[in-house]
Amino acid sequence: MDNLEAFNLLGNGVITFKNKKIEHINQYMLEVLNIEFLSKKNGIDIFLKTINIENEENLFLFFCNYEYFKYIGKTIIISQKKYDNLDIFSFMLITHSLLGTIQNYEKEHVLDHKKVDTINIDSKVAKFYKVNEISQITVLTLYKGLPLKNLGKILRLSENSIEILVDHKHHISLLQSDDILLISNTKRGKFVVHGHVANTHENIFTINNFVLVKKDAHLRQSIRIKPTFKVIVEVTDTNYKVLEFTVHDLSEKGISIAISKEEEEFLKNKTSMSITLYEDKLPIQTKYLKTIYNKDGQVIKIIFLIISINKSSKKIHEYLTKQQNNIINEVHNYATSNE
């Protein structure tokens, strides 16, 4: 993209990143952030301090993982696009009146998953593949946090399921979950659906109960590992009492913690904690990302971005690398022993 100044003509905010560093902020966004009269460096520094983010790379990760953020009383929605070697983030300012309208709409249109016509959704997905003449598709499953990704071949499309020939290694994922992602390329970009493996015969998976997902849901900044042994997080409360929680999974960029509903509000506001790996207690700085619920609406885990790990970085990297290599060997041994 030759002329980033053209973004100054738009009536919405734009921030472009190159190699996770800010390349350009358009005039509208400067005005929204109240930094239009400052130099680029000073303006960015003030913005980062205001939202409590350490550097531009962490800001990039923040924008990748959040759908909106609040800045000096303003609610700003985030959307992302890629162009060549640039990551382009677009921002829309939401007024209080519009935000209230959106919240009311969401309350009135809560989706009851028990009433969803899954056969109709499955039919629409099958029709999409047929109309677009898609015969090859990327299949992605997870095993202990490790993404297993290969090309699959669509063998049959029907009203209530899809049959796909997959790589044999995907069978090991079924030992933990029947979840599967199907990713296809179209003229409009990637089309991603989440489904469930209803049946298998040799390397043929019968998949149904599809749900459309965000187009970037299949992307991961880094591999998340679910510990093979209990890993503890310690958090200090207002009375300086140390409370312990169990790590659900861990990456170099984020951590999720198994919790109950009663513990959610307490943890949300915590920005520092420590992880015990083997015999090492490692301090980390965190920022709340989101809470995950099960099908019954019960809280099962809370997810944080890891903003700063300082000297803990090497230890966490060594742990994750070791765990990842063990899982890769496990997948390889499973695939070769079941051929």
Side-chain angles (χ1 to χ4, degrees):
M1 185 170 292
D2 297 326
N3 187 9
L4 296 176
E5 296 298 328
F7 285 130
N8 289 328
L9 302 175
L10 298 178
N12 62 290
V14 176
I15 301 179
T16 60
F17 284 78
K18 185 176 182 180
N19 298 323
K20 299 182 182 179
K21 298 291 184 181
I22 293 177
E23 185 81 358
H24 180 74
I25 305 179
N26 77 333
Q27 186 62 34
Y28 184 90
M29 196 63 187
L30 292 173
E31 293 170 1
V32 168
L33 301 177
N34 296 321
I35 57 174
E36 67 267 34
F37 300 114
L38 302 174
S39 68
K40 177 183 175 182
K41 183 180 185 306
N42 289 341
I44 291 172
D45 286 344
I46 289 174
F47 176 42
L48 293 174
K49 288 177 182 177
T50 304
I51 60 176
N52 193 29
I53 289 183
E54 185 176 335
N55 53 44
E56 291 180 38
E57 182 173 346
N58 286 335
L59 180 66
F60 172 81
L61 294 173
F62 176 83
F63 287 156
C64 287
N65 287 281
Y66 276 73
E67 294 180 350
Y68 71 93
F69 69 98
K70 292 185 180 294
Y71 181 78
I72 315 179
K74 304 170 183 175
T75 301
I76 304 173
I77 292 179
I78 307 167
S79 62
Q80 180 185 9
K81 292 287 185 182
K82 282 185 174 291
Y83 184 88
D84 290 339
N85 61 345
L86 296 177
D87 289 275
I88 303 171
F89 294 89
S90 176
F91 303 87
M92 184 173 72
L93 186 64
I94 298 295
T95 63
H96 289 293
S97 59
L98 180 56
L99 184 61
T101 302
I102 292 172
Q103 290 172 338
N104 290 334
Y105 178 86
E106 288 176 345
K107 290 177 182 178
E108 294 171 3
H109 296 79
V110 176
L111 181 62
D112 186 349
H113 292 282
K114 295 179 181 179
K115 298 180 180 179
V116 171
D117 186 355
T118 56
I119 294 179
N120 184 46
I121 295 175
D122 293 345
S123 175
K124 289 180 179 179
V125 172
K127 184 178 179 181
F128 175 86
Y129 291 147
K130 185 175 182 179
V131 169
N132 289 276
E133 299 180 340
I134 297 172
S135 59
Q136 274 200 330
I137 197 163
T138 299
V139 177
L140 188 150
T141 58
L142 292 174
Y143 179 66
K144 294 184 177 179
L146 181 71
L148 304 179
K149 193 173 182 180
N150 294 90
L151 281 178
K153 182 179 180 181
I154 296 177
L155 301 178
R156 189 175 72 88
L157 301 171
S158 71
E159 287 293 311
N160 55 11
S161 66
I162 295 172
E163 289 185 3
I164 297 179
L165 180 65
V166 303
D167 189 283
H168 182 72
K169 70 175 65 175
H170 287 290
H171 279 276
I172 195 171
S173 299
L174 300 181
L175 299 177
Q176 291 192 313
S177 171
D178 63 3
D179 293 284
I180 190 167
L181 284 179
L182 303 181
I183 308 156
S184 53
N185 294 314
T186 71
K187 294 178 180 178
R188 296 183 178 180
K190 291 189 182 297
F191 177 74
V192 185
V193 292
H194 172 273
H196 296 274
V197 180
N199 192 19
T200 65
H201 175 66
E202 296 182 345
N203 291 336
I204 299 174
F205 282 11
T206 302
I207 306 166
N208 60 15
N209 290 335
F210 287 107
V211 176
L212 298 180
V213 298
K214 290 176 63 176
K215 64 181 180 181
D216 60 347
H218 60 291
L219 301 176
R220 284 192 165 191
Q221 296 292 333
S222 54
I223 292 173
R224 295 197 295 268
I225 299 296
K226 190 170 183 177
T228 54
F229 59 89
K230 191 173 184 179
V231 176
I232 295 297
V233 162
E234 292 185 354
V235 181
T236 305
D237 66 11
T238 53
N239 297 318
Y240 300 101
K241 181 181 178 181
V242 177
L243 304 178
E244 293 186 349
F245 301 89
T246 301
V247 172
H248 185 275
D249 54 52
L250 175 68
S251 75
E252 293 184 55
K253 300 296 184 183
I255 183 172
S256 69
I257 303 170
I259 61 166
S260 65
K261 177 65 176 176
E262 294 72 25
E263 298 163 328
E264 180 187 7
E265 288 304 318
F266 165 73
L267 278 176
K268 264 186 179 182
N269 298 319
K270 294 301 175 182
T271 58
S272 63
M273 55 188 70
S274 61
I275 313 172
T276 301
L277 290 177
Y278 304 115
E279 296 180 355
D280 296 314
K281 184 175 288 189
L282 309 173
I284 59 173
Q285 299 299 312
T286 59
K287 189 173 186 69
Y288 169 76
L289 178 59
K290 61 182 175 180
T291 303
I292 303 298
Y293 303 84
N294 63 15
K295 293 179 181 179
D296 298 322
Q298 301 298 313
V299 173
I300 55 175
K301 63 180 180 179
I302 188 168
I303 302 176
F304 293 89
L305 292 175
I306 296 178
I307 303 301
S308 175
I309 51 181
N310 299 323
K311 295 180 180 179
S312 304
S313 176
K314 184 178 179 181
K315 294 285 187 180
I316 292 176
H317 176 76
E318 289 174 353
Y319 166 79
L320 291 173
T321 300
K322 182 179 179 181
Q323 294 298 314
Q324 179 181 328
N325 289 339
N326 289 339
I327 295 170
I328 290 172
N329 288 333
E330 192 176 340
V331 172
H332 175 74
N333 292 336
Y334 178 90
T336 53
S337 63
N338 288 276
E339 287 178 348

